Amino acid sequence: MLKSVSVLTSFALLLAATATLASSCGSGPVINVYNWGDYIDDSVLKAFTEETGIRVNYSTYARNEEMYEKVKRGNSGYDIVVPSDFMASKMIKEGLLEKLDFSAIPNFSNIDGRFTSLSYDPSDEYSVPYMWGTTGILYNTTMVDETVDSWDILWDARYSGQIFMYESMRDIFAVAQKRLGFSINDTDINNLNAAKMSLSEQKPLVQAYLDESIKDKMIGREGALAAVFSGDAFYCIEENDELAYIVPKEGSNVWYDVLVIPKGSKRKQEAQQFIDYMCRPDVALKNTLYVGYSTPNKEAYKLLDEDWQGSDVYWPDDDVLDRCEVMVDLGAFTQEYDRAWTEVLASR
Amino acid sequence: MNKKPLVYPYIAWIVIFTVIPLLLIIYYSLHVTVNGERVLSLDNFARIFEASENPRNGENIYIYLEVIWRSVRLAAVCTFLCVALGYPIGYILAGKEFDDSGVLIFFFLIPMWMNVLLRTYAWLTILENNGVINSTLAFFGLPKQTLLYNDTAVILGMVYNFIPFMILPVYTVLKKLNVGIIEAAQDLGASRREVFLKVIFPLSIPGVISGVTMVFMPAVTAFVISNLLGGGQFILIGNMIEQQFLRVGNWGFGSAISVVLMFMVLLSVGIFSLVDKDTGSGGGDAVLKKLKRLYLALMLFFLYSPIAVLIVYSFNESKSRANWSGFTLKWYAQLFGDPGIMNALATTLSVAALSSAAATTIGTAAAIGIDSMKGAKKRLVMGLTNIPVVIPEIVIGVSLMILFMYVCGALGVGMGYHTLLLAHVIFNVPFVILSVLPKLRQTDENLIEAALDLGASPSSAFFKVLLPQIMPGVITGAMLAFTLSIDDFIVSFFTAGAGTTNLSILIFSMARLGINPKINALSAIMFTVVLLLLYLINKRETINKKRREKNAQIR
């Protein structure tokens, strides 16, 4: 019996050793990259290691808040994280990010001027844009037999059990706020309560609050309507042509996800090399093609097919963007959002 | 042999890794942050009792109390179903007609060795609108049913995951039942019904009670099952705690809910240990042999069909699960080509091996020390030892996370593989102690004295006399620790640092992305390996047993 245990243990260790070997041939510096789930072309990571000798330890999250909580605790060990605009400005304000040395990131010049010096990092000190897009409604045209142009349809009882929403606080509030005619950065407690009520009211109609798995659900015809990011919508439409995407007339959110280095990174040099690599036109192209999110890289954009460049999902017109707001950090008022969101989740 | 010194390091161990983390939770629950300063307050607890307006009818609802009530109600329903479905299995298996029940009970326990996330994930594929069940219904022209993202789905997931915890104790108790008592009752004219209701069932109550405890506790604290099968529509206490700690960052409120949860669980454990009569359930009349077999077959079907579905779809060409588009091995190729998965596998296996080895050493030493203690002191140490076994896993997870954060912050190191490993050692130690102690009680103290008198050094007395006697307990403990470590998700989720991902954490993040055939391929492999290992261990044991019997005959 003792033998079988030691056999079992050594078997496990042997397997572990083989798996480690299989996963990490060679040595060299390692950077810890913490990104959104399904938000990169995996082959890019391999190519980066081959070219630079820097290995990438890659893990994923599903919400800005989840990443923020880990970084805020300190000594998170991450060398690269990818917050959205409002979260990036919050992290900058709280001193959680390293200033970048842009001389080490020459490919930054490939970024379209439209996407630099934005309000969350006005003088381009901390962040490099990675992807951008809008939030809107993805719907299945075989199940929704009417014009979709308003957020109201996500509150329509006829689609009860056919609606998916993101399980992400600011994004879900943005939908309710726009529907009610508020700003997505509203800090009036009464308006916030109204949005909260509106979301609780919607809850019985929602099939589920999910993360990236909404894509899989919509492609698999598991639901009729979903509030999603344009990049996810674009990916879904490529996979299933019954689907369509619009940005509602009440307006919406235009957002930017950015590459940053958390304070205390022990591999800042290598992390900057990684950011620079992500800005190379061929690499940015690979990522945008795989993920389906819009690239802020003008050189990569030029390399895209015409049907991508011309798609109003992938590359929305100015009149769409005109009715979209950028999310900003709300400082201490975020607590009220936290509370309201917890109440929405807990309610039945 | 003086064994006392073995106790003190262990007491220090408990204080650091059990008592302090729990005190930290209590500390946080009693403080709120006002203008950046932490002040003593009961607000976190008061918030649990807050009411807010229901937008649908304007009535006041106590949302947090409702979450707690919902968790308790679901756990109760799940426990009831586990008794109702699991007791008959234990009863039938322990019966006379299944001489091979040792093998059969094995089949009921094998799914337990599969990762809890994989077992839960399997149901996603089955319950979806276009999943296996609905596709079958549609094939026969029947209307589709909404099966996923509601309480039924969550209860189903719980029963599926926890029913082995009910079968095993019931089976164990009934197997040990003295046949003489039953025969005596029959000889005295009791009907089969009376024998069951008046003799067998009352005697099996201890098994039912430990089964109820073992099912109710994980059910009331569940967070993975409700997360994956509830789709955010179905928030339980566990989800609230996770949300407050990992997303909202309100540790005070999160801690307050944890304290309430801990209190509830301790209370229910207390009640269960007091109760000596439980409400009856299970078929009264002795069932026909065929019916028994049918029932076992049905339950095995229930336990294995999700695993079978997972495996079948791992060979499906299409990523979508609604249709079968051809046989492929590409998901397996992708699986082995995925450095992330291979890395996670390495982490899981090395943590399991190292943490079970460390926990076995620490636990055995501590058990020897505890065994030599007496009276109130011993009861106190035992009580502290039991804490990690009894309190909810999620509370262990968050409390260790807070502790590690402080310690790592002070030392200027990050959380990572080391914290994950340490956390696994911590929750494994008590299980080793609890496995070794009974064996120690059976050992004859005089043997060691004799060895020492005959000139053995204390260390050779330990290795040559004491250790061989308690070896079965040590091995059970080591195996238990190994299994628990492989299966653990919750504690790992809270204590692993940057870039440290084990299989459970990886599967959780992959499952959130949607159905991925690579996970199916992984489950198929893990299932096969588990099956193979269990078969080998079982075979060895049977061979050893036969050898022993043979030797006995020769003598």
Side-chain angles (χ1 to χ4, degrees):
Chain A
M1 195 54 199
L2 179 60
K3 256 189 191 160
S4 62
V5 168
S6 57
V7 165
L8 198 78
T9 316
S10 28
F11 181 69
L13 281 174
L14 195 73
L15 263 178
T18 343
T20 318
L21 270 180
S23 64
S24 55
C25 286
S27 57
V30 183
I31 55 170
N32 291 313
V33 177
Y34 196 34
N35 194 359
W36 297 79
D38 220 4
Y39 211 31
I40 199 163
D41 182 341
D42 282 341
S43 71
V44 163
L45 297 175
K46 221 181 230 171
F48 174 71
T49 306
E50 272 163 23
E51 282 183 38
T52 61
I54 302 167
R55 286 186 292 138
V56 179
N57 201 343
Y58 191 79
S59 45
T60 63
Y61 55 88
R63 297 165 203 93
N64 273 302
E65 291 79 9
E66 191 183 339
M67 177 274 298
Y68 167 77
E69 285 302 325
K70 278 208 170 172
V71 172
K72 194 184 70 171
R73 257 181 263 153
N75 289 309
S76 68
Y78 295 116
D79 301 296
I80 297 274
V81 294
V82 194
S84 302
D85 34 39
F86 75 97
M87 189 51 81
S89 77
K90 183 184 173 80
M91 295 172 89
I92 292 170
K93 274 190 236 164
E94 295 180 7
L96 295 175
L97 301 183
E98 292 276 349
K99 274 194 182 177
L100 302 179
D101 174 10
F102 279 83
S103 66
I105 312 174
N107 283 319
F108 184 66
S109 62
N110 296 327
I111 304 293
D112 192 331
R114 275 171 70 187
F115 305 108
T116 58
S117 313
L118 291 167
S119 58
Y120 52 87
D121 185 12
S123 43
D124 290 326
E125 288 178 288
Y126 297 92
S127 67
V128 170
Y130 178 60
M131 298 282 176
W132 71 281
T134 59
T135 307
I137 300 173
L138 177 70
Y139 60 101
N140 190 312
T141 50
T142 63
M143 302 180 198
V144 180
D145 203 15
E146 60 185 298
T147 326
V148 180
D149 64 350
S150 161
W151 290 116
D152 282 336
I153 196 164
L154 298 178
W155 272 257
D156 190 330
R158 282 178 300 155
Y159 300 107
S160 175
Q162 308 235 56
I163 297 166
F164 292 107
M165 299 291 283
Y166 280 129
E167 197 196 357
S168 160
M169 183 177 85
R170 286 295 299 275
D171 296 305
I172 200 170
F173 270 101
V175 170
Q177 285 164 327
K178 279 293 161 193
R179 172 173 176 258
L180 298 172
F182 305 138
S183 158
I184 60 174
N185 300 309
D186 202 303
T187 51
D188 182 319
I189 189 77
N190 294 323
N191 293 349
L192 182 66
N193 274 333
K196 179 186 88 184
M197 289 296 196
S198 173
L199 289 173
S200 310
E201 215 177 299
Q202 184 204 22
K203 199 170 183 187
L205 308 180
V206 176
Q207 184 185 129
Y209 299 88
L210 302 170
D211 306 313
E212 289 87 346
S213 50
I214 289 187
K215 290 192 278 186
D216 214 43
K217 294 276 178 186
M218 288 303 287
I219 295 167
R221 301 178 180 82
E222 291 283 327
L225 293 149
V228 299
F229 303 130
S230 52
D232 288 345
F234 191 66
Y235 173 86
C236 292
I237 296 167
E238 293 263 296
E239 298 282 316
N240 180 349
D241 55 14
E242 295 167 14
L243 299 172
Y245 173 82
I246 60 107
V247 176
K249 60 183 183 208
E250 295 96 340
S252 182
N253 169 218
V254 55
W255 47 262
Y256 311 91
D257 289 342
V258 298
L259 299 161
V260 297
I261 303 180
K263 198 127 228 166
S265 157
K266 294 190 177 67
R267 295 274 174 204
K268 196 182 163 192
Q269 216 55 43
E270 289 81 0
Q272 285 174 344
Q273 241 175 302
F274 182 81
I275 294 178
D276 188 52
Y277 189 77
M278 290 294 127
C279 296
R280 237 172 60 181
D282 59 320
V283 175
L285 178 73
K286 259 194 196 169
N287 284 333
T288 194
L289 285 177
Y290 176 82
V291 183
Y293 278 53
S294 319
T295 181
N297 193 306
K298 59 178 188 248
E299 299 305 319
Y301 178 79
K302 283 178 196 158
L303 300 171
L304 285 169
D305 283 347
E306 267 173 32
D307 51 334
W308 279 57
Q309 290 179 346
S311 157
D312 49 4
V313 179
Y314 184 82
W315 211 257
D317 294 335
D318 285 346
D319 61 308
V320 170
L321 293 179
D322 284 345
R323 44 176 208 268
C324 291
E325 267 184 284
V326 180
M327 225 172 248
V328 299
D329 172 41
L330 303 173
F333 196 76
T334 310
Q335 269 187 24
E336 300 299 331
Y337 274 69
D338 288 336
R339 206 183 171 93
W341 175 226
T342 306
E343 290 183 14
V344 172
L345 273 183
S347 72
R348 273 291 268 173
Chain B
M1 194 158 77
N2 187 5
K3 298 168 188 162
K4 285 265 162 62
L6 289 169
V7 178
Y8 299 111
Y10 176 63
I11 291 177
W13 173 274
I14 313 182
V15 169
I16 297 171
F17 294 121
T18 307
V19 179
I20 293 181
L22 290 178
L23 291 178
L24 280 171
I25 290 257
I26 294 170
Y27 171 83
Y28 269 100
S29 72
L30 291 172
H31 285 77
V32 289
T33 314
V34 179
N35 301 327
E37 266 181 65
R38 222 171 259 150
V39 286
L40 198 65
S41 156
L42 281 174
D43 283 2
N44 291 316
F45 288 99
R47 186 173 165 192
I48 296 175
F49 299 95
E50 255 174 34
S52 74
E53 193 189 333
N54 184 341
R56 291 191 284 279
N57 53 21
E59 280 171 20
N60 268 351
I61 42 168
Y62 296 90
I63 42 175
Y64 301 117
L65 288 181
E66 278 200 7
V67 170
I68 293 174
W69 168 234
R70 188 186 304 150
S71 308
V72 172
R73 201 184 58 216
L74 268 194
V77 172
C78 162
T79 311
F80 175 79
L81 288 174
C82 282
V83 175
L85 295 170
Y87 188 93
I89 299 177
Y91 177 74
I92 297 172
L93 285 178
K96 269 181 281 179
E97 63 252 54
F98 293 102
D99 279 339
D100 53 349
S101 63
V103 181
L104 214 48
I105 186 93
F106 231 50
F107 279 102
F108 280 94
L109 301 182
I110 288 171
M112 236 164 82
W113 285 62
M114 287 269 288
N115 191 295
V116 57
L117 281 150
L118 288 178
R119 277 181 283 158
T120 311
Y121 166 83
W123 284 102
L124 280 178
T125 320
I126 298 177
L127 298 177
E128 276 189 322
N129 285 350
N130 295 317
V132 177
I133 292 180
N134 273 321
S135 302
T136 316
L137 287 179
F139 181 79
F140 292 108
L142 295 163
K144 285 192 177 184
Q145 306 293 319
T146 307
L147 302 166
L148 197 54
Y149 305 130
N150 53 32
D151 47 353
T152 321
V154 177
I155 290 176
L156 183 67
M158 283 181 176
V159 171
Y160 180 73
N161 271 292
F162 303 139
I163 199 167
F165 294 125
M166 182 63 71
I167 300 174
L168 190 59
V170 169
Y171 168 79
T172 316
V173 166
L174 288 176
K175 198 74 193 168
K176 283 194 200 129
L177 215 64
N178 188 346
V179 189
I181 298 177
I182 300 167
E183 279 168 7
Q186 282 166 344
D187 290 349
L188 290 170
S191 69
R192 292 167 93 173
R193 186 192 162 85
E194 278 171 323
V195 170
F196 178 80
L197 285 179
K198 301 218 165 131
V199 182
I200 300 178
F201 188 72
L203 286 172
S204 67
I205 292 265
V208 175
I209 288 176
S210 63
V212 164
T213 319
M214 281 167 78
V215 171
F216 184 79
M217 288 210 310
V220 80
T221 64
F223 113 86
V224 179
I225 298 171
S226 47
N227 186 303
L228 290 179
L229 301 178
Q233 279 287 13
F234 220 82
I235 297 291
L236 301 183
I237 308 179
N239 305 86
M240 293 277 298
I241 297 176
E242 184 250 356
Q243 207 217 349
Q244 293 303 314
F245 274 99
L246 297 186
R247 286 187 254 162
V248 173
N250 189 341
W251 291 20
F253 190 44
S255 297
I257 309 173
S258 308
V259 170
V260 170
L261 179 63
M262 204 155 60
F263 182 72
M264 278 168 40
V265 167
L266 291 178
L267 195 74
S268 48
V269 169
I271 292 173
F272 288 142
S273 62
L274 286 178
V275 169
D276 53 355
K277 280 231 160 76
D278 203 347
T279 47
S281 76
D285 282 309
V287 206
L288 289 169
K289 199 170 173 179
K290 266 188 187 168
L291 267 179
K292 286 185 185 174
R293 282 183 192 274
L294 181 71
Y295 182 69
L296 288 189
L298 276 175
M299 291 310 290
L300 281 174
F301 178 77
F302 171 63
L303 283 174
Y304 282 90
S305 53
I307 298 173
V309 169
L310 273 187
I311 295 176
V312 167
Y313 277 97
S314 73
F315 297 109
N316 188 5
E317 176 79 35
S318 152
K319 200 183 165 190
S320 147
R321 52 264 161 224
N323 42 16
W324 176 264
S325 55
F327 181 86
T328 181
L329 285 174
K330 72 176 172 189
W331 305 116
Y332 288 86
Q334 282 189 21
L335 177 71
F336 285 105
D338 188 324
I341 295 179
M342 288 295 112
N343 230 330
L345 180 67
T347 308
T348 297
L349 289 174
S350 63
V351 166
L354 295 175
S355 75
S356 53
T360 308
T361 316
I362 297 171
T364 307
I368 294 172
I370 294 172
D371 189 56
S372 68
M373 297 173 84
K374 276 180 188 74
K377 260 194 203 158
K378 180 174 184 172
R379 279 199 298 276
L380 179 69
V381 176
M382 277 316 290
L384 290 172
T385 301
N386 276 321
I387 292 177
V389 182
V390 174
I391 64 171
E393 239 191 311
I394 194 162
V395 177
I396 302 180
V398 292
S399 65
L400 285 178
M401 178 184 87
I402 298 178
L403 177 78
F404 290 160
M405 196 200 71
Y406 278 116
V407 174
C408 290
L411 298 175
V413 292
M415 279 165 71
Y417 184 86
H418 50 284
T419 46
L420 178 68
L421 181 61
L422 185 58
H424 279 234
V425 177
I426 292 168
F427 76 69
N428 273 334
V429 164
F431 289 98
V432 175
I433 295 179
L434 294 177
S435 317
V436 175
L437 271 181
K439 285 286 157 201
L440 276 167
R441 255 175 247 134
Q442 291 165 12
T443 54
D444 189 349
E445 189 74 11
N446 294 328
L447 278 177
I448 298 162
E449 298 289 328
L452 291 172
D453 287 349
L454 291 169
S457 68
S459 76
S460 57
F462 171 76
F463 283 109
K464 299 236 161 104
V465 182
L466 184 58
L467 196 58
Q469 292 188 69
I470 59 171
M471 201 37 116
V474 174
I475 289 169
T476 314
M479 291 183 56
L480 198 57
F482 190 83
T483 324
L484 289 170
S485 170
I486 283 199
D487 199 45
D488 176 73
F489 166 68
I490 298 179
V491 174
S492 311
F493 187 60
F494 284 97
T495 53
T500 309
T501 305
N502 67 11
L503 272 184
S504 320
I505 300 175
L506 185 82
I507 296 165
F508 185 63
S509 59
M510 284 172 90
R512 286 199 302 199
L513 285 176
I515 310 275
N516 186 328
K518 268 194 265 181
I519 309 183
N520 295 34
L522 184 67
S523 347
I525 291 174
M526 284 179 69
F527 182 69
T528 318
V529 169
V530 163
L531 213 58
L532 209 68
L533 280 178
L534 290 178
Y535 172 75
L536 287 178
I537 292 174
N538 200 34
K539 201 177 163 193
R540 275 190 73 90
E541 268 173 38
T542 7
I543 291 172
N544 284 345
K545 202 170 152 194
K546 276 189 188 143
R547 200 179 292 152
R548 250 177 277 134
E549 276 163 13
K550 215 173 174 186
N551 286 348
Q553 275 172 6
I554 292 168
R555 260 181 236 146

